[in-house]
Amino acid sequence: MSATLIDGKGFAASVREKVATHVARLKDEHGITPGLAVVLVGEDPARQVYVRNKGKQTVEVGMNSIEHKLNADTPEDVLLDLIATLNADPEVHGILVQLPFPGHLDEDLVINSIDPAKDVDGFHFSNVGLLSTGQRSIVPCTPLGCLMMLRAHHGSLSGLDAVVIGRSNIVGKPMANLLLGDSCTVTIAHSRTKDLTEVVRRADIVVAAVGRPEMIPGDWIKPGPTVIDVGINRIDAPEKGDGKTRLVGDCDFARFSGFAGAITPVSGGVGPMTIACPLANTVTACRRANGLAEPDGLTA
Ligand code: GUN
């Protein structure tokens, strides 16, 4: 069997098109331009590129992009003051503080200081609680992107066995809640799971989000499941020359391709959706803030 590739890049482009259409309507019909504020603390080059790409795509879909780059040693109260200012700014509909933070900052305190209605990451405890009780919330971007791709590929997910590998607040836990919401039978596996091979073998859907390069061998799965590889890991690639690197997922892609029914590649899979979904959530937040109906095709 050779797996179908799930085209996250194309899918993200279609999400951005929908976002752009909504933005144009908000401007034309209501005189509102959605605004997304992104806060980056520190100088990590990979995060800087990510934030720059987010800003570029925010502008491309017609929204206002507000970027705040703070030094790595920014005191916590300065960051909290900035968030309070963004919370109070009516032109800002979405706020995203790039994680992880430098160690002196209390991640929970900072995240929970964001107005939940503007929390386009869906990390505030009230959004987490709303999602896990099946109420309307803002849904974390990476799991939202994975869910959109799974729904597009499968249609209904009802009754499918889904195994989420990884229990992070950013991906694993919200992903499990979303799959449960779509009536999957969900298992969350993690580093202490006994007999992970057996757990993975029964899956119709595997979502791998452990952040360890090619940790999951392809022959763990039964023939045919859909595999969403959230991992983006940089490893040495001596075959490409001295000092060269390449990106790999959490799954051993070459071997998985022989067993899976469908799989997201690393580069062009989940990654592009992690930039498109904050834009979608900003439109959602903006429409809600203005008492407008939910945007078609952009929410869970
Ligand atoms: N770092 C890795 N993933 C994410 C994400 O989805 N949101 C934020 N804010 N930071 C991240």
Side-chain angles (χ1 to χ4, degrees), residues 213-287:
E214 298 180 324
M215 187 206 116
I216 306 154
D219 53 7
W220 282 10
I221 53 172
K222 67 185 180 188
T226 302
V227 178
I228 306 288
D229 193 347
V230 179
I232 301 178
N233 310 292
R234 190 166 287 285
I235 60 166
D236 293 337
E239 73 282 1
K240 288 167 69 181
D242 262 3
K244 297 282 185 200
T245 60
R246 65 189 173 94
L247 292 177
V248 296
D250 291 346
C251 301
D252 176 349
F253 183 80
R255 290 175 72 202
F256 257 86
S257 306
F259 289 90
I263 186 165
T264 56
V266 170
S267 289
V270 175
M273 291 296 279
T274 67
I275 299 189
C277 287
L279 309 182
N281 279 350
T282 304
V283 165
T284 302
C286 178
R287 290 188 65 85

Side-chain angles (χ1 to χ4, degrees), residues 54 96-100 121 123 141-142 170:
K54 254 191 277 215
L96 190 153
V97 186
Q98 193 64 34
L99 300 176
D121 262 325
F123 295 161
C141 299
T142 301
I170 296 181

